[in-house]
Amino acid sequence: MSRTEAPPLPEPLRVPVADSHTHLDLQDATVEEALARAAAVNVTTVVQVGCDVAGSRWAAETAAAHPSVHASVALHPNEAPRIVHGDPDGTARQGAREPGGRAALEEALAEIDALAGLDCVRGVGETGLDFFRTGPEGVAAQEESFRAHIEIAKRHGKALVIHDRDAHADVLRVLADAGAPERTVFHCYSGDAEMARTCARAGYFMSFAGNVTFKNAQPLRDALAAAPTELVLVETDAPFLTPAPYRGRPNAPYLVPVTLRAMAEVKGLDEDTLAAAVHDNTARAFDF
């Protein structure tokens, strides 16, 4: 089987669920094709997430055109340092960029703020901190951007969608210091069980992706087991993090049932019970 071939459609869920975090603009299928495949397995709603100004505009436009799509808008944590310090190697989709300084970051944040006021936009994110790719020189820009997104989410009453990579303690610190919005979602939750208990005490939602199915992901499964069912969401982060047994092949919203069934096993719940909880949790988190 080719590593580039799309996995087959799984058995449909009996209870509808939402993909709480996807990137339709990075997938091979058209929006209409992706939504039709998802609907065929009872994934009836998706949250389309922007990672830069252009992607956030596209997310809002797509959500406005499709009732089953809701948008989340933001500058990804790695985008902020690129805006401030430049991106001479063209590591992002925009290609090589000159340094824009704080003024360019403020301009980009102003556009995210404007988009966040739209009715079709239900989240502000993915924002947060990512210390995996950004060196020490980019940390200040990331934190400034993160704090600005927190204020945007609170100003517009939208969910805050967190990207947290190799930065657990600092993300929790900034949230506590700045005051987290009423609804905060840790996308592609990557902490351990103790952090899950910390998030639960704060009322943060934890969204689990296909990597919870990976063989080496026992700490992530332990975190899922510790997370209260009423705070658990499911996502694809497609086209990334395709669940086993399709790891390495293209991910898409229609593969949510594969991850949800693995999650139900970890939680000791039947899939209908977990699907119903996830459906309600996602609607609460994103207010749809």
Side-chain angles (χ1 to χ4, degrees):
M1 192 70 68
S2 168
R3 299 285 283 181
T4 60
E5 186 176 340
L9 264 68
E11 185 74 20
L13 295 165
R14 289 179 293 270
V15 175
V17 298
D19 180 351
S20 75
H21 192 112
T22 195
H23 301 283
L24 296 171
D25 51 331
L26 302 180
Q27 298 168 37
D28 289 336
T30 66
V31 171
E32 291 75 17
E33 288 168 345
L35 295 177
R37 288 175 192 163
V41 297
N42 224 0
V43 178
T44 57
T45 310
V46 305
V47 179
Q48 166 64 24
V49 179
C51 293
D52 53 32
V53 168
S56 294
R57 284 190 200 125
W58 190 90
E61 291 165 2
T62 302
H66 298 275
S68 60
V69 179
H70 302 288
S72 187
V73 299
L75 308 177
H76 188 284
N78 289 329
E79 177 68 0
R82 292 174 187 140
I83 292 171
V84 173
H85 301 296
D87 186 13
D89 298 323
T91 55
R93 285 186 292 170
Q94 295 93 327
R97 282 181 281 177
E98 294 295 319
R102 290 188 72 253
L105 179 59
E106 289 172 3
E107 183 179 346
L109 288 167
E111 178 135 11
I112 298 300
D113 189 13
L115 290 168
L118 299 173
D119 288 343
C120 63
V121 174
R122 300 295 176 150
V124 173
E126 54 189 285
T127 182
L129 300 171
D130 186 327
F131 296 158
F132 181 72
R133 286 194 177 88
T134 297
E137 70 282 355
V139 170
Q142 282 200 7
E143 183 162 331
E144 179 181 352
S145 179
F146 184 21
R147 287 177 180 271
H149 282 82
I150 292 171
E151 292 310 309
I152 291 169
K154 289 194 286 192
R155 182 159 55 249
H156 295 286
K158 304 295 170 80
L160 182 74
V161 179
I162 300 290
H163 172 104
D164 164 25
R165 189 166 189 185
D166 293 353
H168 304 321
D170 286 291
V171 167
L172 292 172
R173 170 184 58 80
V174 172
L175 286 172
D177 181 58
E182 182 180 349
R183 291 168 287 115
T184 295
V185 178
F186 272 76
H187 130 71
C188 190
Y189 181 85
S190 60
D192 59 13
E194 184 54 40
M195 181 173 161
R197 286 186 278 269
T198 298
C199 288
R201 286 192 292 271
Y204 301 153
F205 292 93
M206 289 161 270
S207 184
F208 290 84
N211 55 340
V212 77
T213 69
F214 296 173
K215 286 182 180 178
N216 63 350
Q218 190 56 47
L220 196 52
R221 289 187 283 277
D222 293 342
L224 172 58
T229 301
E230 64 270 18
L231 292 175
V232 168
L233 310 182
V234 67
E235 66 173 87
T236 58
D237 197 22
F240 314 109
L241 298 178
T242 312
Y246 308 113
R247 185 177 182 180
R249 292 165 66 181
N251 201 5
Y254 74 84
L255 290 173
V256 159
V258 179
T259 300
L260 186 130
R261 287 175 178 129
M263 291 169 61
E265 188 172 338
V266 170
K267 297 292 287 178
L269 299 170
D270 67 79
E271 74 173 64
D272 291 358
T273 299
L274 182 59
V278 164
H279 176 277
D280 292 347
N281 297 345
T282 314
R284 248 184 330 120
F286 290 97
D287 192 26
F288 56 66

